[in-house]
Amino acid sequence: AERGDLRALVSLAQLTERGTVVEQDVNRAMELYEQAAAGGSHDAMINLAITLLEGSVVPENPGRAIALLQQASDEGSAKATFNLGVLAQDGKGDGLEAALGYFLNAARDGEPEGYRAAAILLDEGRGTQRDPSKAAIMLLRGAAEDRGIILQQLSTQTDQWSSQTIRAVQGLLKEAGYYLAAVDGLAGPSFSSALEKWRNGGFNASVLN
């Protein structure tokens, strides 16, 4: 950190903020984050933004927090773009109608959680026109890229999604040759098995176009 390594600065800031191994010193941690952010660290910008939004460690400053996230996003941070989407979804920053765009951009740039967040908005018609077919595409793209969260939710919490969106997912899996049961919008072993096949090497982009 003393030699200016950005990752070391962020790591040291995290340890100092929590008082892990080293003595807790919130002010010093903020200084380290500021130094790393000034050097171009997107992680530092995001951490600073979160701290400024929470307002528990330093005075709340949502304007600067959003500016930091926007800078990191403009410089290519998919995580920052996703966080801007979360804020927009909650009516902050650019507002609800901008949330879908942020989530789609985050997913495009490598943040797979953006797919599920976009699917929720499309499924519910929140801040955008309701579109079960597009929500299904987002879910299957995310299922192929995330850590298994979408697969688990679709298999065990199917009722969290509209039946129209689940039917759209089933239809796409049927088109890909993995789902052989009825397109009924219901959970079941055939649906779970098809999702497993899709995730584990069966991703077929042609059915999503």
Side-chain angles (χ1 to χ4, degrees):
E2 289 172 355
R3 288 194 290 269
D5 184 279
L6 297 179
R7 293 180 65 184
L9 282 166
V10 172
S11 296
L12 184 58
Q14 291 171 326
L15 293 172
T16 305
E17 182 179 7
R18 298 168 187 160
T20 303
V21 182
V22 297
E23 183 178 353
Q24 186 176 26
D25 186 338
V26 174
N27 291 330
R28 176 57 177 157
M30 293 305 105
E31 291 174 1
L32 291 167
Y33 281 137
E34 291 281 6
Q35 184 180 344
S41 168
H42 297 155
D43 288 337
M45 294 176 196
I46 292 169
N47 288 352
L48 263 179
I50 292 171
T51 301
L52 291 166
L53 286 167
E54 291 175 344
S56 58
V57 176
V58 296
E60 187 176 350
N61 189 339
R64 181 161 185 245
I66 291 172
L68 284 165
L69 290 174
Q70 191 64 63
Q71 179 184 347
S73 174
D74 291 344
E75 292 175 0
S77 170
K79 187 65 176 177
T81 303
F82 177 81
N83 286 337
L84 286 169
V86 172
L87 290 174
Q89 180 181 259
D90 294 339
K92 301 173 183 176
D94 292 333
L96 180 56
E97 292 184 355
L100 179 60
Y102 280 124
F103 290 143
L104 292 175
N105 288 339
R108 177 201 63 200
D109 293 339
E111 176 50 67
E113 179 61 20
Y115 288 118
R116 188 171 74 94
I120 290 172
L121 296 181
L122 290 162
D123 182 54
E124 297 177 356
R126 185 149 47 98
T128 187
Q129 184 175 351
R130 190 165 179 267
D131 192 336
S133 296
K134 192 170 183 179
I137 290 173
M138 294 298 102
L139 286 171
L140 286 180
R141 285 192 177 278
E145 295 183 30
D146 74 1
R147 295 174 294 175
I149 296 172
I150 289 178
L151 187 150
Q152 181 181 27
Q153 189 178 56
L154 287 175
S155 298
T156 63
Q157 298 176 300
T158 313
D159 59 352
Q160 297 296 308
W161 302 90
S162 70
S163 60
Q164 294 92 335
T165 291
I166 296 300
R167 283 199 295 269
V169 173
Q170 290 172 335
L172 291 169
L173 290 172
K174 183 179 281 287
E175 187 178 345
Y178 301 131
Y179 184 66
L180 305 178
V183 177
D184 54 12
L186 301 175
S190 295
F191 185 40
S192 297
S193 175
L195 287 166
E196 289 276 2
K197 291 176 182 176
W198 174 269
R199 175 172 171 78
N200 297 324
F203 176 77
N204 185 346
S206 65
V207 305
L208 304 181
N209 298 326

